[in-house]
Each structure stands twice: as structure tokens, then as C-alpha cells.
């Protein structure tokens, strides 16, 4: 055979083999694993949280929120987890995401309200401790306290902390400014100046 005829025959044979390999259904195509259902994601995240794997639970919930963007459940669970850990700013953000999906959700609204109050209470306590709660800020805080009292139907927003009588007498009786400041600062009532 001539080299000029061998080369086209080899190319033709190779092409035929490639076409035959592509056409044969002998090898099944690899299957992608099925995406987990929202119920499975929520269950896995709950199990991770109960096992103390907080970060893993949050990663699972974030994945669930992107896989099921119209569902409020992952956002609500993230908000609850952040709230339980005292991360109120993040809890508000996640609860607001849940409220975008269901504006009437009572749990999400409660998380936003209580987290906001706790953040406000902490800020007011810090300001009171620094003696900087005066002027328009003070009057605005008083107006807010009145509105809150009217909303919940209570005369006092936060009941004063009960102290043992002996401890209160010693602190008040010592007469030192530090002891008086400690006695006043020991109450857990950040709104005491607003009553």
C-alpha cells in the first residue's frame, strides 16, 4: 500500500470508531445528586444546632435560603438562632428577610420588636451610665417610653429588680460615692430615668 492511501484510511477508521463510541449507550451519564428538600435542610440545621455546631447550622440555613428563596423558614430559623445567642442586630436583619416573604409572621415581628428593644435598652443604659442622656435625646426617649407603656398597657416598662434588703442597706449606708453609684447601677432597669 502506498503511504498516501494509508493515512486517509486510518483517519476514516478513527472517525468511525469515535462516532461509534459516541453513539453507544453502554455508559450511563453520571447523575447529579438530588438537591435536598427544604424539610431536610431544616432538619439537618436543627440537628447541627442541637449538637453545638452553630456555624454548620448557619451554613446549612444560608444554603437553604438560596435554594428556596421564596420560603421564610430558613430566614426565620437564622433569626431565632441569632436572637438566642444575643446577636440582636443580625437577628433583626434575618427576621426582616422573613417578613419580606411573609409580612404577617408573628415570630419574625416579635424578634424584630424585642431585639430592637434590647438594643435600645442597652444603648440607653450606656448613655445613662455616661450621664449623657439629656436634652432632646432625653425627651425623645421619654416619649418613646410613654408610647411603649401605652402599647403594652403597663405603667412601668421594666419592673425594678428586687434586691435583698441587707445588701441594699449596706450599700446605701456606707455613704461613699462609689457605693452609692454601685447601688444605683445595680438595677437592671435601663428606663429608670424615664419613669
Amino acid at each position: 500500500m502506498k503511504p498516501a492511501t494509508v493515512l486517509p484510511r486510518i483517519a476514516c477508521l478513527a472517525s468511525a470508531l469515535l462516532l461509534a463510541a459516541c453513539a453507544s449507550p453502554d455508559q450511563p451519564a453520571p447523575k447529579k445528586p438530588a438537591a435536598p428538600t427544604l424539610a431536610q435542610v431544616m432538619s439537618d440545621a436543627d440537628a447541627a444546632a442541637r449538637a453545638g455546631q452553630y456555624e454548620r447550622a448557619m451554613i446549612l440555613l444560608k444554603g437553604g435560603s438560596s435554594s428556596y428563596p421564596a420560603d421564610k423558614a430558613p430566614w426565620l430559623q437564622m433569626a431565632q438562632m441569632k436572637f438566642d445567642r444575643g446577636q440582636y442586630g443580625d437577628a433583626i436583619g434575618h427576621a426582616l428577610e422573613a417578613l419580606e416573604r411573609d409580612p404577617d409572621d408573628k415570630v419574625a415581628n416579635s424578634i424584630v420588636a424585642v431585639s430592637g428593644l434590647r438594643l435600645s435598652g442597652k444603648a440607653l443604659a450606656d448613655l445613662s451610665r455616661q450621664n449623657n442622656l439629656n436634652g432632646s435625646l432625653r425627651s425623645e426617649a421619654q416619649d418613646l417610653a410613654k408610647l411603649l407603656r401605652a402599647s403594652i398597657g403597663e405603667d412601668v416598662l421594666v419592673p425594678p429588680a428586687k434586691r435583698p434588703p441587707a445588701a441594699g442597706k449596706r450599700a446605701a449606708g456606707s455613704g461613699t460615692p462609689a457605693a452609692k453609684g454601685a447601688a444605683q447601677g445595680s438595677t437592671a432597669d435601663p428606663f429608670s430615668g424615664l419613669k
Side-chain angles (χ1 to χ4, degrees):
M1 278 195 215
K2 294 182 181 179
T5 59
V6 174
L7 190 56
R9 287 184 183 178
I10 292 175
C12 187
L13 182 62
S15 295
L17 286 174
L18 282 174
L19 286 174
C22 289
S24 68
D26 292 338
Q27 295 178 342
K31 293 182 180 179
K32 289 184 180 178
T37 64
L38 182 59
Q40 183 64 44
V41 169
M42 298 301 290
S43 175
D44 290 348
D46 189 48
R50 277 187 274 119
Q53 299 172 340
Y54 175 76
E55 292 300 322
R56 183 175 186 280
M58 290 301 288
I59 289 169
L60 288 168
L61 291 169
K62 285 179 184 177
S65 69
S66 60
S67 295
Y68 300 94
D71 203 298
K72 69 177 180 178
W75 292 107
L76 196 56
Q77 184 65 25
M78 286 188 281
Q80 186 67 54
M81 289 174 67
K82 291 290 187 175
F83 180 85
D84 292 343
R85 294 176 68 87
Q87 298 170 342
Y88 301 118
D90 291 338
I92 290 171
H94 294 310
L96 289 174
E97 286 288 340
L99 287 171
E100 282 186 21
R101 287 144 181 88
D102 180 7
D104 297 328
D105 188 276
K106 290 182 181 179
V107 173
N109 276 312
S110 297
I111 289 173
V112 170
V114 175
S115 294
L117 287 172
R118 288 189 179 174
L119 287 174
S120 297
K122 182 185 179 319
L124 285 172
D126 291 345
L127 283 172
S128 293
R129 189 181 66 246
Q130 298 167 0
N131 294 323
N132 288 334
L133 189 60
N134 54 27
S136 66
L137 182 62
R138 180 180 179 89
S139 64
E140 188 174 333
Q142 287 173 332
D143 291 342
L144 236 167
K146 288 176 190 174
L147 177 66
L148 287 172
R149 279 190 226 112
S151 295
I152 62 174
E154 295 289 330
D155 291 335
V156 178
L157 288 176
V158 180
K162 294 185 179 182
R163 289 179 280 158
K169 289 179 183 176
R170 272 185 261 143
S174 67
T176 65
K180 288 179 183 178
Q184 291 173 351
S186 66
T187 63
D189 184 4
F191 301 104
S192 62
L194 303 176
K195 293 178 185 171

